[in-house]
Amino acid sequence: MDREKNRAVRRALTAAFPYTLPICAGFLFLGMTYGVLMRTNGFSVWYPLLMSLTIFAGSAEFVAAEMLCGAFAPLQALAVTLLLNARHLFYGLAMLDKYKGTGPKKAYLIFGLCDESFSINCTAKIPPDADRGWFYFFVTLLNHIYWVTGATLGGLFGAFVRFNTEGLDFVMTAMFVVIFLEQWQKDRQHISALAGLGISALCLLVFGSDSFILPAMLGILAALALLRRPLSKGGGAV
């Protein structure tokens, strides 16, 4: 019995690894960008290493890099982080059934639920001879390893960077644009995407470029909560 279980676990790893290879390329580059950004802002290599290991939220880590260089504002940092990652509330609801019965691994699966792990675990075809819970676990773990490795390498190499790194953090904006375009192509209807764009544009006009992010994300969160049921019935992703 133990031999069969071990075989199912190994099969889960070999099945999960190919799914994560495209994520590896992206995470290594983005992680290195984050690590370089932290070093050029005056932080030691331990900061990107420990932050990528314990936070594992790329967008929040890039924002934290800027906040750590500014005035001490813990409530603002808390609000921005919560709203910036509010989409994980919907990710978590969508994965309730899939993560059921995964045992002690569930705590790590919840912690490591990022955009890319959600996308793979939500859509991947798991081989019948592979353990389902371990497949989810290895997808999450491998993606986590890629991000920590990239951030650490960036932190190490960042000490030798001598060129102007202004605008380097724009890589996160580019990444979200690519994710948005991919989701636009996959979805049959674009109500949630158009709602997000409309609310963001409205808040930009009302609050200005320096203050529109928080009200825009609150508005998007409220809109998605209201639209979740009709979108689910219509087959569209939220």
Side-chain angles (χ1 to χ4, degrees):
M1 187 67 180
D2 289 339
R3 185 177 300 176
E4 292 181 3
K5 185 176 181 180
N6 291 336
R7 186 182 298 113
V9 172
R10 290 195 299 270
R11 181 70 180 106
L13 175 59
T14 57
F17 179 66
Y19 279 101
T20 66
L21 282 177
I23 310 302
C24 176
F27 270 18
L28 287 178
F29 175 75
L30 288 172
M32 289 183 67
T33 303
Y34 165 67
V36 169
L37 185 66
M38 290 293 289
R39 287 306 300 269
T40 55
N41 280 337
F43 298 96
S44 71
V45 67
W46 295 107
Y47 277 84
L49 169 60
L50 294 177
M51 289 177 68
S52 62
L53 186 65
T54 57
I55 299 175
F56 191 35
S59 53
E61 290 174 55
F62 272 86
V63 171
E66 299 299 325
M67 287 187 170
L68 288 172
C69 296
F72 180 67
L75 293 179
Q76 181 185 3
L78 176 62
V80 170
T81 303
L82 286 175
L83 292 173
L84 197 60
N85 292 282
R87 65 191 185 280
H88 289 85
L89 293 171
F90 301 97
Y91 290 172
L93 291 174
M95 300 303 289
L96 281 176
D97 291 334
K98 287 184 177 292
Y99 285 174
K100 189 178 296 183
T102 53
K105 297 185 289 296
K106 189 173 183 179
Y108 179 71
L109 292 174
I110 294 172
F111 162 77
L113 186 60
C114 62
D115 300 334
E116 293 75 12
S117 296
F118 168 78
S119 179
I120 294 175
N121 287 338
C122 193
T123 60
K125 295 181 179 179
I126 304 174
D129 58 341
D131 184 280
R132 178 180 59 87
W134 280 105
F135 177 89
Y136 297 148
F137 176 83
F138 285 129
V139 167
T140 306
L141 178 64
L142 288 169
N143 287 340
H144 195 183
I145 290 173
Y146 301 150
W147 180 255
V148 173
T149 301
T152 304
L153 289 175
L156 290 171
F157 296 149
F160 306 101
V161 171
R162 294 293 181 267
F163 56 86
N164 185 4
T165 59
E166 184 178 356
L168 192 62
D169 52 344
F170 183 76
V171 69
M172 282 302 296
T173 304
M175 185 190 74
F176 280 117
V177 169
V178 172
I179 291 175
F180 174 82
L181 292 176
E182 288 180 349
Q183 292 300 318
W184 180 277
Q185 292 176 345
K186 290 178 182 178
D187 292 346
R188 292 192 295 271
Q189 57 180 329
H190 310 297
I191 298 175
S192 56
L194 292 173
L197 290 173
I199 292 171
S200 298
L202 178 62
C203 290
L204 180 61
L205 291 173
V206 174
F207 298 100
S209 59
D210 293 331
S211 307
F212 84 100
I213 293 180
L214 290 181
M217 298 197 74
L218 281 172
I220 293 171
L221 180 60
L224 290 178
L226 293 173
L227 293 171
R228 180 172 179 79
R229 183 169 294 178
L231 286 175
S232 297
K233 290 180 179 179
V238 175

